[in-house]
Amino acid sequence: HNVATTILLGNTFNNEQRCVSNLPLGTMTKKGMFVLGLPYAILHGGYLGLFLIIFAAVVCCYTGKILIACLYEEDEDGRLVRVRDSYVDIANACCAPRFPALGGHVVNVAQIIELVMTCILYVVVSGNLMYNSFPNMPISQKSWAIIATAALLPCAFLKNLKAVSKFSLLCTLAHFVINVLVIAYCLSRARVWAWDKVKFYIDVKKFPISIGIIVFSYTSQIFLPSLEGNMQKPSEFHCMMNWTHIAACILKGLFALVAYLTWADATKEVITDNLPPGIRAVVNIFLVAKALLSYPLPFFAAVEVLEKSFFQEGGRAFFPDCYGGDGRLKSWGLSLRCGLVVFTLLMAIYVPHFALLMGLTGSLTGAGLCFLLPSLFHLKLLWRKLQWHQVFFDVAIFVIGGICSISGFIHSMEGLVEAFKYNIEE
């Protein structure tokens, strides 16, 4: 998904600086690592898991389109005019006039949760990969997570993402190469693929977690308004969405299937942990580097949302501005940023469960931002102009998304409670 978007949109933005500052590149770098959890979803869902990868692609493509439709309104001449710029603007428009800022606060909270959880997952996966790459070293997974976080503390000093975005693009391409290597290894073992292990039954207790994992691997809606606004030809947005989601569906489906066929019931939460020791160490080191270099994007995005919401809203701000008159970050503002980095570390140490965290995030914020809110906003803002089948699709997506969200959240929480209760390691 991220590589396809990069290729198709590499030369379609009006201005590189606007592209970076508005963070559409976040969707291109944020999800690459989490494809590693898709084979685990097939483990608990079988063929239904594969169908869900396709279904999620179709639904996310549709909700992305209707979300962008909510940015526009017709003028007196019947021409579509862009009257809103962001997901928050759409949410506020839906809650006006009684609660003009409520919708924006809801979206901001969901954004912050998803972005911070993404940062936590990067630390979790870094610790997991290093621990499984060097199992004979007297260093625990928690210790590896602390070492990884120490390398991430400079993120607190970030002022912009100009340099980081270039590294992230290179990391995305590197991750694509790593995926190819993993698939190549799987294909080399095609003679012993366990086709009989892929069935139509599902693990009722764990499959809802798989739903969250799959949904989380597709979430990009929070970046779409900025991305569409920076395209040279916004009219090609629908075409871009179609082709990127088709590519995402095919690549994710094939990767998940061939990886599961290779290791079957031994499939682990992070699929590279199944590789032979020699290959695993090399691949995992590259993946850790990719995770650490990708961490600044969601971190900076979360910081930006927090600063704008609590420190930079003029008279409505809850706290004083964290920047001085010369534009420099104040010492206490820097301390808060360092505190956020440490918070992601503490969460990664005490909840070191990649698949469960990914499923929880996908069920909680992923389903909300990708399924529930876009369909609800579409119905609210464009109700009089919608045809009956569009109303049906929106209502169906809202209902199905709500059921999947609640079910996935409950089962993910049960899994985390069970992991703590029985001291189950990652």
Side-chain angles (χ1 to χ4, degrees):
H1 192 183
N2 48 348
V3 173
T5 307
T6 302
I7 294 172
L8 289 173
L9 295 181
N11 297 312
T12 58
F13 294 110
N14 289 326
N15 183 290
E16 183 180 358
Q17 176 60 34
R18 286 179 62 203
C19 169
V20 172
S21 64
N22 288 321
L23 296 173
L25 283 174
T27 186
M28 302 173 194
T29 61
K30 176 165 91 89
K31 302 303 177 187
M33 287 291 296
F34 306 127
V35 174
L36 301 176
L38 291 180
Y40 188 75
I42 303 299
L43 172 65
H44 298 299
Y47 286 112
L48 188 57
L50 286 174
F51 168 77
L52 192 59
I53 291 176
I54 300 172
F55 179 76
V58 173
V59 174
C60 286
C61 182
Y62 173 77
T63 56
K65 293 176 182 178
I66 63 175
L67 183 68
I68 296 303
C70 293
L71 297 173
Y72 292 84
E73 289 185 2
E74 291 185 355
D75 61 12
E76 296 178 355
D77 299 324
R79 293 176 299 183
L80 289 177
V81 179
R82 203 174 200 263
V83 295
R84 304 176 187 97
D85 294 319
S86 66
Y87 207 139
V88 171
D89 291 342
I90 296 172
N92 285 334
C94 287
C95 294
R98 291 187 177 181
F99 308 101
L102 176 62
H105 292 323
V106 171
V107 170
N108 278 335
V109 169
Q111 279 185 273
I112 292 169
I113 292 174
E114 177 164 325
L115 292 167
V116 172
M117 288 298 291
T118 301
C119 293
I120 294 169
L121 284 167
Y122 278 135
V123 179
V124 170
V125 78
S126 295
N128 174 280
L129 292 172
M130 293 303 294
Y131 177 72
N132 286 285
S133 298
F134 306 100
N136 296 324
M137 293 185 66
I139 303 177
S140 66
Q141 180 174 328
K142 294 179 180 179
S143 299
W144 279 118
I146 293 173
I147 294 171
T149 306
L152 294 171
L153 279 175
C155 291
F157 296 88
L158 281 176
K159 293 183 178 180
N160 59 65
L161 291 175
K162 213 171 183 182
V164 176
S165 63
K166 295 177 181 178
F167 281 115
S168 297
L169 181 57
L170 292 175
C171 289
T172 299
L173 296 176
H175 186 73
F176 179 76
V177 173
I178 290 170
N179 283 346
V180 171
L181 293 176
V182 174
I183 292 177
Y185 176 82
C186 294
L187 292 176
S188 70
R189 298 179 56 83
R191 293 183 180 179
V192 295
W193 277 358
W195 285 100
D196 58 313
K197 296 291 185 179
V198 188
K199 299 180 180 180
F200 287 96
Y201 80 95
I202 62 173
D203 185 328
V204 178
K205 185 176 181 180
K206 294 187 177 180
F207 183 65
I209 302 174
S210 300
I211 296 175
I213 292 173
I214 293 171
V215 170
F216 187 68
S217 74
Y218 279 106
T219 54
S220 61
Q221 266 69 357
I222 58 176
F223 302 102
L224 292 182
S226 177
L227 190 150
E228 190 263 355
N230 283 288
M231 291 178 65
Q232 288 182 350
K233 298 180 180 180
S235 59
E236 296 181 355
F237 178 80
H238 281 209
C239 179
M240 179 276 296
M241 288 291 288
N242 291 338
W243 283 109
T244 53
H245 281 80
I246 289 172
C249 179
I250 294 173
L251 292 174
K252 291 179 180 181
L254 287 176
F255 181 85
L257 179 61
V258 299
Y260 175 72
L261 289 174
T262 303
W263 290 288
D265 293 341
T267 299
K268 296 184 179 180
E269 293 186 12
V270 182
I271 195 61
T272 55
D273 288 341
N274 287 103
L275 292 169
I279 301 175
R280 181 173 65 221
V282 174
V283 171
N284 283 356
I285 288 174
F286 277 102
L287 286 173
V288 169
K290 196 248 181 220
L292 297 181
L293 289 170
S294 297
Y295 180 99
L297 275 171
F299 175 82
F300 189 84
V303 166
E304 196 172 52
V305 174
L306 286 169
E307 288 180 350
K308 287 182 178 179
S309 300
F310 295 100
F311 301 96
Q312 298 175 355
E313 286 196 343
R316 296 182 299 167
F318 291 96
F319 304 101
D321 197 336
C322 53
Y323 289 91
D326 57 356
R328 293 184 179 182
L329 186 65
K330 296 179 181 178
S331 57
W332 62 270
L334 179 61
S335 300
L336 290 176
R337 288 188 174 200
C338 292
L340 182 58
V341 176
V342 173
F343 173 76
T344 62
L345 167 65
L346 294 176
M347 286 293 293
I349 288 177
Y350 290 105
V351 195
H353 300 278
F354 180 74
L356 290 174
L357 283 175
M358 190 173 167
L360 179 66
T361 308
S363 300
L364 184 62
T365 62
L369 292 170
C370 287
F371 297 164
L372 305 181
L373 294 182
S375 55
L376 184 63
F377 293 164
H378 196 226
L379 289 170
K380 170 68 175 177
L381 294 176
L382 301 174
W383 171 260
R384 297 181 180 180
K385 301 176 183 178
L386 298 180
Q387 299 181 10
W388 70 268
H389 65 275
Q390 292 175 305
V391 174
F392 174 78
F393 288 151
D394 289 351
V395 172
I397 290 172
F398 185 85
V399 173
I400 295 174
I403 294 173
C404 292
S405 177
I406 294 172
S407 177
F409 178 78
I410 292 174
H411 285 83
S412 295
M413 289 301 296
E414 287 180 348
L416 289 172
V417 171
E418 183 177 334
F420 277 107
K421 184 177 180 181
Y422 298 104
N423 196 26
I424 299 173
E425 296 294 332
E426 173 68 28

